[in-house]
Amino acid sequence: MKRIILFAAMLIVIVLIVPTVMVALVKDGEDLTESAFGLAPIEKKQEAGQTEVRSEQVAAKDTNGPDIAVYRSNAEAVEQIALEDYVMGVVASEMPADYEVEALKAQALAARTFAVAQMKNGDKNGDVPQGALVTDTVAHQVYQSKDELKEKWKDAFDSNWEKVETAVRDTSGEIMTYDGEPITASFFSTSNGFTENAEDYWEQEVPYLKSVPSPWDKQSPRFANETVIPISEFEAALGITLQNDGSIGTIEARTAGGRVETVTFENKTLSGREVREALELDSSDFSWHVSNGQVVIQTKGWGHGVGMSQYGANGMAQEGKTYKDIVQYFYKDVEIESMDELVPTS
């Protein structure tokens, strides 16, 4: 009997105590399980979301490239601008937005290549304010911000910006190189029918900046222009004195691109570039004559003539040429490469 009572008591203990222990163990297990497969996944989802946001930010940074220090002339301050945003602002400022997209892409390559060269080589000429690599003026490349362009384009902003953004995004990170280095990607508005050898304008030979025909430019509204200057102002600007017989100076030679190489006056010889800059002419392809006490000057083309003709680029694009066709026509023997090898992207 005692054995039966003892056995029953043990059963009671087992029934009452063991489930309590099991509940505690299961409860602990549930806590662990909830932490491992419930809360942790929630936390991981949050982390994943945060990671996704960070990844998007990094991707956006990578897409827009590294920053470039731009001197904003109106504000007289240096602004750090993401490279691709800077290129958009340059393309929008330097080429008409109604040009073909392939021409705008060619302009994007030129703008980005110039910027990368500055980022890689620094301000070698010492003509940029301290802390900047480029200015937002014609001294380098004209740059306008998105807000400035909204003010400039007004109702046309959305359509214009879409074209520019497409051109820049479609060429993102691409630059032109020669022998592995970013080129001097010079460009100008309109040629006289030919681009100019670099050595004929800058007195320094550059292998990829050679004269090529650009017949499309003859349709440009800036292909021909006439400037009239009083004789007294003409003489003062050039530091010469004209004869009273109606003669001006003798154009001694022209360049391979048809521009004036040298002009000889009675006791002075000037280059075509010197005459152009002193008289603020559209081009160094000029001819002239005296009429009623004034010098009448006819010019062909608009700009220095070296590198890519923007009007010519648009003409090529209208004929179905791609931006790669365009830049490899105006810049001889260049390669189109990623800038990643030359400039860090983060």
Side-chain angles (χ1 to χ4, degrees), residues 2 15 19 32 48 104-105 109 111 115 125 168 185 202 230 238 295 342:
K2 290 182 178 179
V15 169
L32 290 172
L104 292 167
K105 289 180 184 180
L109 251 67
N125 297 326
V168 175
W202 291 324
L238 297 182
V295 179
L342 299 173

Side-chain angles (χ1 to χ4, degrees), residues 175-344:
I175 62 171
M176 293 175 283
T177 64
Y178 186 87
D179 281 348
E181 295 294 324
I183 70 169
T184 300
S186 60
F187 56 88
F188 61 98
S189 170
T190 303
S191 80
N192 63 346
F194 294 86
T195 67
E196 188 79 306
N197 290 329
E199 62 268 27
D200 291 334
Y201 195 79
W202 291 324
E203 299 182 355
Q204 181 177 356
E205 183 177 6
V206 181
Y208 48 82
L209 295 177
K210 294 298 182 181
S211 178
V212 296
S214 189
W216 310 275
D217 301 52
K218 294 178 181 178
Q219 306 303 315
S220 169
R222 294 304 298 262
F223 177 72
N225 192 36
E226 182 173 277
T227 302
V228 179
I229 304 174
I231 287 178
S232 59
E233 293 182 16
F234 182 88
E235 292 176 326
L238 297 182
I240 53 97
T241 300
L242 297 182
Q243 301 298 309
N244 294 324
D245 58 3
S247 64
I248 304 179
T250 302
I251 296 175
E252 300 286 356
R254 288 186 177 267
T255 66
R259 295 162 181 80
V260 173
E261 184 174 351
T262 54
V263 180
T264 300
F265 298 94
E266 185 176 9
N267 296 311
K268 191 172 187 178
T269 298
L270 296 172
S271 69
R273 175 183 177 177
E274 288 172 327
V275 172
R276 179 201 173 213
E277 292 177 350
L279 300 178
E280 299 181 352
L281 303 177
D282 280 0
S283 167
S284 55
D285 180 356
F286 54 80
S287 58
W288 48 29
H289 65 274
V290 173
S291 176
N292 299 321
Q294 296 180 312
V295 179
V296 181
I297 308 171
Q298 285 88 23
T299 55
K300 290 182 180 180
W302 187 17
H304 51 63
V306 182
M308 182 179 71
S309 162
Q310 294 173 311
Y311 201 89
N314 195 50
M316 291 183 69
Q318 289 173 337
E319 292 181 354
K321 302 298 184 183
T322 69
Y323 74 96
K324 293 182 179 181
D325 296 328
I326 293 168
V327 298
Q328 290 176 328
Y329 178 76
F330 286 109
Y331 305 104
K332 307 304 292 183
D333 300 321
V334 300
E335 300 290 336
I336 298 174
E337 299 185 67
S338 169
M339 71 179 193
D340 293 351
E341 296 297 321
L342 299 173
V343 176

